[in-house]
Each structure stands twice: as structure tokens, then as C-alpha cells.
Amino acid sequence: MKDIYDYIDAHADEFVADLAAFVQQPSVSAQDIGLRECAALIRDMMHRDGLPAEFHELEDGPPVVYGEITSKSRKTLLCYSHYDVQPPEPIEAWTHGGPWSGAVVDGILYGRGATDNKSGVLAFNKAAKAFLAVRGEVPVGLKLLIEGEEEIGSPNLGPWAKKNAKMLEADGMHCLDGSLEIGVEVPDVSLGLKSVLFVELIARGPRTDVHSLNAPLVPNPVWDLVHALATIMDREKNILIPDWAEGIYVPNDEDMGYLEDKAARINFDMLKEEMGVDQFALGRDGVDALKARTYEPTANIQGITGGYTGKGTKTIVPSEARVRMDFRLIPNISPAKAIVKLRNHLKEQGFDSIEVKGEARTEDPYKISAREDISVSIIAAAHEVYGEPPIVNGVSAEGAILKHVWIPCVLTGFANPGCNLHAPDENIHVDKYIQGIKYAAAIMDHFGRS
């Protein structure tokens, strides 16, 4: 691989300039900002790099950018990534020119999407470019898929994947997203996907806000939500919805071995410092903390609104209150069954007046073995590029293709710890980005020979 790595090093300035330009184009799916413009930008970049790329229009969303490159290898790799990013707010918390600057300061490139996931998009593309430039061919068949709604749960990708299932068939699927392990600085390799169920609970009280003198006479929707939420999860983080964990995956000896290896290698004090906590919830630490993070279902409150929160006071009973939640679902918890269980639970607890808005649009969670060809290849590539074995996780983030096309899928990443993805001053160290392109190339090479 030396010839490929040398090419990547020789073109590092070009690759960094392209990432800066990519970051400078806003592409916020939650706010419908700049998505088509960003899709056109990455399509044109791919054309300049000699890569095939075309728009595939979705029924009600921004286009998917897609291209295929054939190979002599019998294997085909689906490289999944996304060009949309999280909202940049709070804007005032950004430094180095704001969320769309793409500024490089002391070897660090700043801007929304620098890690999640525009550097991942380009790592695939630049690795493919390196193979074509140096060897005239790629070592594995490539299907490059770049979507624009990952950050809002990919609501329109699933129906498109269902219609194009034959086109998307591959021997392995891979996503480059996230950071290296803190204190070790080797990649995480996640052998499966959680699913995420997004819901909004809406409680309603009087027809309009009323004077709080009348509080004894009217329902208070904020209190209704507080009481309802207390029936969903207790203070020990146990989800109280009946049969919620029915059929849940139980980690086996191999899974526990990987957790113990990770616990022995990572720096928990640095992880706590990065999260801004003195200790993990419930006093968890070591293997117990990692097991909870990896194999425990969650019921997270993203935000809650209701009534008056402005300057001073306003003596009212509000007419409405809302809470947004996300439930991380572990294999084998079905999103479609989970939302039914949530609705039934609230009714049985006497909260049938609370509206539950949400759809189970994501695929079911799943897990694969470390012995799958794609798993073996990525673990070997990480060892080659980073000089020691990676951290192997059980399951990680969600996807939206596998409900319609079964492909063994692995998530891994290469950004520096402290990359601030989803937060102000999101960034990537330039050297980690260039190393990530080599990582992508090594994965292609290993999988093509697997």
C-alpha cells in the first residue's frame, strides 16, 4: 500500500482544501438549508476526481449522490456517508469564524460537518481517487452512496432503498463516521446498528393560557407531562414500559471479551472530562459502564417546552406542553412494536389524552459477528494504519438501508477525540483526516482480498 499512501500524502493540501470548501457549504437537514447546493458540490467534486456520481431524486427530500466503480475483485463494498449536518446553534459559541468557516488553525480544520460526516464522505472518495490515479483500478467494487437526511433519521431513504434494492446489493457496507477512542487514539469498530425511535409527546390543558389563580380548576399540561415521563423511566434508568426489552440481545462471551479489552485500554478519566462529568451516572465505571452504553436501551429526553420562560414571571397555567424523546433500541427491539408499547403504556397509566407523535421509520437494530469478512477486513485495516488493534464495539448508531437490503454493516471513524461533533467548534485535525483517507484505502484493499 505504500504507493497509495504516498499519493495521499502528496495530495494532502488538495484534499484539505476540498474539505474546507465542503464544510463552507451549509447543509442542515433539520432546517432544510443548502441541501441541494451541497449535493451538487460533492457531485461536482467527484466528477473532478474522476469518480462517477449522479443524483437520485427522493420522493420528498434532497437527492442521494450515487456512483459505482467496478473491480476485478469478486467483492463489492457499499460506502455509506451523508452530506447533511446538525444545526449549528448556538452560533455565538463558535470561534474561528463561525460554523461555516472551514478555517484551518494550528493544523485543525473547524466547521460544522468537519467530522460528521463530510470528512468521512471525502475519505471514501479520495481513497478511490488514489487507487485510480496510481493503479488504474480500485481493489474492490465500490458503490458510493451519499445521502442528505441522516441527521433527521433518513425519513426518505428507506423507500428509495426499497425501490433500488437490486442496485444496492453488496457484500459489505461501511460507514466512516465518528472519532478515535479517547486515550488510545485507535478506531472504534462497531459491529452492528442500534435503531432510534423519535417521538414527541404533546399534553394539552385549557383552550388558552389562563390565570394561575384558576390552577385548582384546570389541568396543567406541564405537570401531566412530568407525571407521564416519570412512568416511562425510573431514577436507575430502568425503562418501565411493560415488555419493552422483550427479546433483547444478551451479550455473549465474545462480546464481553471485547468490552473487557476496551475497558483495559481506554482512559475513563479523559472520557469523563470530555463529557464534563465527575463520574458516570449511577456510579458506573469500567466494564459495567461500557456494557450499559453498548447494550442498554435508552429513553432520552431531548428537550421539553411549555408555558412562559421569558424575563420576569407570568402567572399562567399554560395551554400546552411538549417533550421530544429518542429511544435507542438494542437488537432485537422492533421500532414498530416499541411505539405501540409506548402508546399503550401511557393509556394504561391514565395519560390517554397525551398525543404521541412519531413513526417507526427506521430499520430494526441488528448485530453481526467479528468473523464476518467486512469485520475482519476493517479490524485488519485499522491495525495496519494505526499500528495496534482497534477497539471493537458491539453496536453503535442507526441506519436506514438494511430494512430493505441485507448487508453486513460496520461503523467506524477516524476523527480526533474532542472533535465536538454535534456541538459548537466541531473540528478535525488535518493529520487525522489524511490518516483517515489511508484507513479508507486500507479497508478497500483488505475487503477486496477477503
Side-chain angles (χ1 to χ4, degrees), residues 184-236:
V184 185
E185 298 206 7
V186 296
D188 274 332
V189 175
S190 296
L191 305 179
L193 302 174
K194 296 177 185 177
S195 188
V196 183
L197 175 64
F198 296 99
V199 299
E200 184 175 33
L201 309 184
I202 306 171
R204 297 181 175 89
R207 180 171 52 85
T208 62
D209 295 349
V210 300
H211 196 294
S212 61
L213 175 70
N214 297 305
L217 305 180
V218 294
N220 186 310
V222 180
W223 274 116
D224 286 346
L225 272 188
V226 169
H227 293 312
L229 291 170
T231 73
I232 292 175
M233 191 173 77
D234 65 19
R235 296 184 69 177
E236 283 70 47

Side-chain angles (χ1 to χ4, degrees), residues 17-58:
D18 281 354
L19 178 58
F22 200 8
V23 168
Q24 287 162 0
Q25 171 57 57
S27 51
V28 185
S29 51
Q31 300 167 344
D32 194 22
I33 295 174
L35 296 172
R36 181 165 287 272
E37 293 85 350
C38 193
L41 175 63
I42 190 59
R43 179 194 59 190
D44 294 346
M45 277 187 182
M46 291 172 73
H47 288 167
R48 290 198 303 272
D49 286 341
L51 306 179
E54 59 182 350
F55 278 3
H56 283 249
E57 300 291 347
L58 303 186

Side-chain angles (χ1 to χ4, degrees), residues 75-332:
K75 288 291 180 76
T76 300
L77 180 63
L78 176 61
C79 301
Y80 167 89
S81 54
H82 61 94
Y83 60 81
D84 67 315
V85 300
Q86 283 280 318
E89 287 79 7
I91 302 294
E92 65 276 7
W94 287 80
T95 58
H96 307 296
W100 316 115
S101 73
V104 178
V105 180
D106 296 329
I108 303 172
L109 191 151
Y110 290 90
R112 178 60 87 225
T115 284
D116 186 11
N117 175 233
K118 293 182 176 182
S119 58
V121 172
L122 293 187
F124 285 133
N125 293 350
K126 302 308 184 184
K129 177 181 181 176
F131 279 113
L132 293 173
V134 174
R135 301 183 183 175
E137 61 182 358
V138 291
V140 65
L142 296 176
K143 297 184 177 183
L144 304 170
L145 188 159
I146 312 161
E147 68 143 322
E149 292 185 309
E150 192 273 347
E151 298 292 6
I152 56 171
S154 305
N156 296 292
L157 185 64
W160 175 81
K162 183 177 181 180
K163 294 176 183 177
N164 294 278
K166 189 69 177 175
M167 181 181 75
L168 297 177
E169 288 178 355
D171 300 292
M173 178 175 165
H174 175 213
C175 178
L176 281 172
D177 198 348
S179 65
L180 306 175
E181 269 296 344
I182 190 167
V184 185
E185 298 206 7
V186 296
D188 274 332
V189 175
S190 296
L191 305 179
L193 302 174
K194 296 177 185 177
S195 188
V196 183
L197 175 64
F198 296 99
V199 299
E200 184 175 33
L201 309 184
I202 306 171
R204 297 181 175 89
R207 180 171 52 85
T208 62
D209 295 349
V210 300
H211 196 294
S212 61
L213 175 70
N214 297 305
L217 305 180
V218 294
N220 186 310
V222 180
W223 274 116
D224 286 346
L225 272 188
V226 169
H227 293 312
L229 291 170
T231 73
I232 292 175
M233 191 173 77
D234 65 19
R235 296 184 69 177
E236 283 70 47
K237 296 188 178 292
N238 298 306
I239 297 178
L240 305 176
I241 300 170
D243 299 323
W244 188 259
E246 181 182 10
I248 192 171
Y249 179 85
V250 178
N252 57 31
D253 290 344
E254 180 182 65
D255 301 321
M256 292 306 300
Y258 285 127
L259 289 177
E260 289 164 3
D261 172 70
K262 181 174 181 176
R265 296 169 66 193
I266 71 170
N267 188 318
F268 285 97
D269 290 336
M270 291 179 66
L271 183 59
K272 292 170 189 172
E273 183 179 352
E274 184 180 49
M275 293 181 177
V277 298
D278 294 326
Q279 62 178 10
F280 298 135
L282 307 179
R284 290 165 165 162
D285 220 330
V287 173
D288 289 340
L290 297 178
K291 182 180 178 183
R293 184 185 188 188
T294 306
Y295 293 108
E296 188 175 286
T298 67
N300 179 56
I301 297 174
Q302 299 176 4
I304 185 167
T305 59
Y308 180 73
T309 58
K311 186 177 181 180
T313 63
K314 187 178 183 183
T315 52
I316 59 163
V317 176
S319 63
E320 183 180 280
R322 295 172 177 250
V323 62
R324 290 185 180 178
M325 302 185 68
D326 59 77
F327 294 85
R328 297 272 168 174
L329 306 179
I330 306 300
N332 303 294

